[in-house]
Amino acid sequence: MDIEGRTAIITGGAVRVGGAITGELARRGASVFIHYNRSAAPAEALRKEIVDTGGVAAIGSVDLSNPECAVDLIAAAGASLGRPTILINSASGFPADTIDDATVDGFRSAQNLSLITPMMLIQSFAQQVPDDLGGAVVNVTDVKTMRPYTKHLSYVLAKGGVDTLTRATALALAPKIRVNAVALGVILPPPDEDDDYARNLAADLPLQRVGGAQVVADTVAFLCENDFITGEIIRVDGGGHLV
Ligand SMILES: NC(=O)c1ccc[n+]([C@@H]2O[C@H](COP(=O)([O-])OP(=O)(O)OC[C@H]3O[C@@H](n4cnc5c(N)ncnc54)[C@H](OP(=O)(O)O)[C@@H]3O)[C@@H](O)[C@H]2O)c1
């Protein structure tokens, strides 16, 4: 699929992993709708950088903790840049809870942001993709769904749902829309941790280094462009799943 000229929505697309995905899709010619929640200034800076280098970009803020807002985001992107045919579900929280202290509210909130909203975004997105154009969805999940975190229980349960959502919607929406995912390992340290934190984690990986956001962006772009892959979850984890 040629992504040049297509409108792509990237949730959480202003900073970190989402920001790198936005930049890569823009470099490959997509018109990017940069969704943000709190990162208004980075979103505007990235929009300006893309436009200044000849690309097409717009920004929009929606709080995705309410899944009912999914429809608004698809409509906002369409109104700014034309009908979206690429959707990247990257926004997520990373709450800390365990089986000892998990609460119903905490669990629901993680499910809303990281699973139910992506599902509703895919629904609204799919309804407006024309049959003759087709489209692509890439979900951002976590390798820890296979060997789960114990300290981020609600998060990893939501991401496990994203894995299933990827396969289920790949089947349901074929052949019009392909749905794939990237499952990330040690890519960037969490926002409240420094580089040493990630380097320590990476020391145990077969590839012995931190991935960085660009390797994710390259893989997402590949999944958008490759016309014969759907329902796939590519691990971008330096081989972490092997050890
Ligand atoms: N970093 C890693 O090594 C790693 C590892 C495994 C999986 N992942 C996955 O990769 C994706 C990106 O990771 P990251 O580390 O770049 O994420 P991050 O720094 O934690 O950023 C989270 C993103 O989600 C958005 N977001 C958070 N709450 C939101 C809300 N209520 N409504 C709308 N947007 C909201 C934020 O937007 P604003 O900044 O605008 O508020 C931000 O762009 C996530 O799905 C994460 O689970 C990352």
Side-chain angles (χ1 to χ4, degrees):
M1 186 174 98
D2 186 358
I3 67 177
E4 189 165 1
R6 285 176 178 264
T7 296
I9 302 175
I10 305 94
T11 69
V15 293
R16 291 170 51 85
V17 170
I21 295 169
T22 298
E24 188 55 39
L25 295 183
R27 263 189 293 284
R28 296 185 193 213
S31 303
V32 287
F33 189 81
I34 307 167
H35 159 266
Y36 67 94
N37 186 37
R38 295 196 179 138
S39 297
E44 173 52 24
L46 185 54
R47 185 201 67 78
K48 186 171 181 315
E49 186 187 321
I50 290 167
V51 169
D52 286 351
T53 51
V56 179
I59 65 174
S61 176
V62 174
D63 181 351
L64 297 178
S65 58
N66 176 6
E68 310 282 350
C69 292
V71 64
D72 300 337
L73 179 55
I74 303 298
S80 298
L81 296 175
R83 196 181 285 265
T85 56
I86 295 172
L87 169 65
I88 314 298
N89 278 315
S90 182
S92 176
F94 190 48
D97 60 358
T98 70
I99 191 59
D100 296 322
D101 61 15
T103 63
V104 171
D105 280 352
F107 175 77
R108 283 195 179 131
S109 140
Q111 297 288 315
N112 277 344
L113 177 57
S114 297
L115 176 59
I116 303 177
T117 291
M119 179 180 78
M120 298 314 293
L121 281 169
I122 293 172
Q123 181 187 75
S124 296
F125 168 80
Q127 285 167 353
Q128 53 84 66
V129 171
D131 287 342
D132 57 336
L133 274 182
V137 175
V138 182
N139 297 318
V140 181
T141 180
D142 194 309
V143 282
K144 287 293 188 183
T145 61
M146 332 278 177
R147 296 167 66 182
Y149 286 118
T150 54
K151 294 182 178 163
H152 298 275
L153 182 62
S154 294
Y155 164 83
V156 86
L157 288 170
K159 290 297 195 182
V162 171
D163 296 357
T164 304
L165 175 69
T166 300
R167 290 187 281 261
T169 51
L171 256 183
L173 298 175
K176 184 169 86 163
I177 294 168
R178 293 176 298 103
V179 185
N180 293 291
V182 286
L184 308 188
V186 186
I187 297 299
L188 295 174
D192 51 348
E193 300 282 357
D194 61 14
D195 288 349
D196 283 345
Y197 173 91
R199 268 197 290 271
N200 285 338
L201 289 177
D204 295 331
L205 301 177
L207 297 184
Q208 294 178 8
R209 56 191 152 82
V210 178
Q214 188 58 39
V215 295
V216 179
D218 292 340
T219 312
V220 168
F222 162 76
L223 285 171
C224 291
E225 288 178 339
N226 189 303
D227 270 326
F228 203 56
I229 299 180
T230 196
E232 188 59 84
I233 301 176
I234 297 185
R235 285 179 284 229
V236 184
D237 71 341
H241 63 284
L242 299 170
V243 293

